[in-house]
Amino acid sequence: MAYQGRPGEWGGDNPRQRQVVAMPTADEIGTLAVRGITTFAKKNKVISFSWIWGIVVLLLVGSGTKLTVDQARQYNHIMSTIDLDAEFAATNSYAVALQNYRASKGWFSCDSLCQRNKAHMERARAQLDDIRAEGQARMSDAKKVAGLWSEVGVGEVKDSFWEYFNAGKRFAKRQSMWDFMFMGFRRMGRDESFVEFALKMLIQVLINFSMGLIMAFFIFVFGLWSIVRSYQPNPITAVIYFVSAACAAFAFVSTYLLVLYGAAAGSVYGAAKLAESQRRLEGGRGYGQQRVQYGYGGNRPHYQ
């Protein structure tokens, strides 16, 4: 007499009764994240120290030291000696001379009129360069009075960083828009679910933001030395300021990306947990329906 169970009783026929691997809890994920960060920090001490030093600089430096009354008076006096009207007039003269030169120039030749316009254009450009060089020198003298760690120096570096940082974000948003459009077109010709499309798009957005902000960071560091040099500091101060500003920018960009990755991972985890709860609920309903069918004349076990 062999026992015949209900169809799918052992989980082989009914997919609702198959074993589902439980997802890790939030505490387990937090433990894994802390363990991973600790391991990375131990293996990459230079990167970890740069990040910590950048955070310290961001917290301590802030907006820079405020100018004293004497510093503010000297700074404003030197800046007032820059002749902006002369630079504006020289810029207009150069623009007119350049336009006349281009209008008289042929495709492969330059006659006597063209040569005269070219000479006039070169004189106008030299005059503009001289005026700008004099203005930059006076501005550098004014910056020297203020100092690198003043609100003037820190503010100029912060403005430069935010300019490149916002440009990197604009690049990422624009690139993500194009990726969304082209990936949507490719999805039309494929048997792809919306969940797969959303995950691919999320990964592409993270890649775009990583590329944009990393490029913005390197461009900012590349132009940082020219800002530092314009304040005429001593070599030791210049190196310390340059390294500190670069570490601060690295700490901010890396923290921004980590928060972005964490938000994306948290959203995916929340959606997965919601789907898991839904599957468990549906599985419980299916088991209850089978219990009811078994009690009212369903597929009962019998003996042969």
Side-chain angles (χ1 to χ4, degrees):
M1 304 291 289
Y3 173 77
Q4 294 181 353
R6 298 189 304 271
E9 183 178 359
W10 307 112
D13 297 331
N14 194 343
R16 296 180 183 274
Q17 296 179 352
R18 295 176 182 175
Q19 184 178 4
V20 178
V21 179
M23 295 186 61
T25 62
D27 295 337
E28 293 174 347
I29 292 179
T31 303
L32 292 175
V34 172
R35 187 182 305 169
I37 293 174
T38 304
T39 304
F40 178 84
K42 291 180 179 180
K43 293 183 178 180
N44 303 272
K45 296 181 180 180
V46 176
I47 297 177
S48 303
F49 177 78
S50 300
W51 185 83
I52 295 174
W53 179 248
I55 294 295
V56 172
V57 171
L58 289 175
L59 294 177
L60 296 182
V61 174
S63 301
T65 59
K66 188 176 181 59
L67 296 178
T68 63
V69 177
D70 293 337
Q71 285 179 323
R73 183 172 60 252
Q74 294 180 22
Y75 177 81
N76 293 328
H77 174 70
I78 297 175
M79 291 294 292
S80 64
T81 60
I82 300 176
D83 194 350
L84 299 178
D85 294 334
E87 183 177 355
F88 180 75
T91 302
N92 288 335
S93 299
Y94 172 69
V96 172
L98 180 61
Q99 183 179 4
N100 293 333
Y101 167 66
R102 289 179 176 177
S104 60
K105 182 181 178 182
W107 286 95
F108 303 102
S109 62
C110 186
D111 55 10
S112 59
L113 177 60
C114 174
Q115 292 295 333
R116 288 196 300 270
N117 290 335
K118 180 180 179 181
H120 181 64
M121 181 268 296
E122 291 177 348
R123 287 194 301 269
R125 182 172 58 185
Q127 183 180 6
L128 176 61
D129 293 340
D130 292 340
I131 294 176
R132 285 180 174 176
E134 182 180 359
Q136 291 293 332
R138 294 186 181 184
M139 187 180 298
S140 180
D141 293 337
K143 291 180 179 180
K144 183 179 180 180
V145 173
L148 270 173
W149 299 99
S150 66
E151 55 185 351
V152 177
V154 175
E156 184 177 359
V157 172
K158 289 173 64 176
D159 292 341
S160 176
F161 172 78
W162 284 118
E163 179 182 358
Y164 292 118
F165 184 82
N166 292 328
K169 289 200 301 183
R170 288 194 299 268
F171 165 82
K173 293 177 181 179
R174 184 170 58 252
Q175 191 66 27
S176 299
M177 181 188 65
W178 288 107
D179 290 336
F180 178 80
M181 184 176 63
F182 287 111
M183 291 177 68
F185 289 155
R186 289 196 299 266
R187 179 175 176 265
M188 294 179 181
R190 298 179 181 178
D191 188 10
E192 186 178 53
S193 64
F194 176 77
V195 176
E196 294 175 342
F197 171 76
L199 287 177
K200 290 181 179 179
M201 192 62 212
L202 177 61
I203 294 174
Q204 193 62 42
V205 169
L206 294 178
I207 292 175
N208 292 335
F209 270 90
S210 301
M211 291 177 56
L213 296 184
I214 290 174
M215 286 191 303
F217 166 72
F218 281 107
I219 296 174
F220 164 75
V221 173
F222 182 78
L224 177 62
W225 183 251
S226 62
I227 299 177
V228 174
R229 189 177 57 184
S230 66
Y231 284 80
Q232 305 178 28
N234 61 73
I236 298 177
T237 303
V239 172
I240 294 176
Y241 189 92
F242 178 83
V243 173
S244 299
C247 290
F250 168 73
F252 186 87
V253 171
S254 59
T255 304
Y256 185 91
L257 290 176
L258 287 176
V259 171
L260 193 64
Y261 298 154
S267 301
V268 174
Y269 176 78
K273 289 292 289 184
L274 183 61
E276 182 186 24
S277 302
Q278 187 67 23
R279 287 197 302 269
R280 289 180 178 178
L281 182 61
E282 293 177 355
R285 290 176 179 176
Y287 180 73
Q289 293 176 358
Q290 291 182 359
R291 290 288 299 272
V292 172
Q293 292 177 0
Y294 175 76
Y296 289 92
N299 296 324
R300 297 182 179 181
H302 61 278
Y303 294 90
Q304 295 178 351

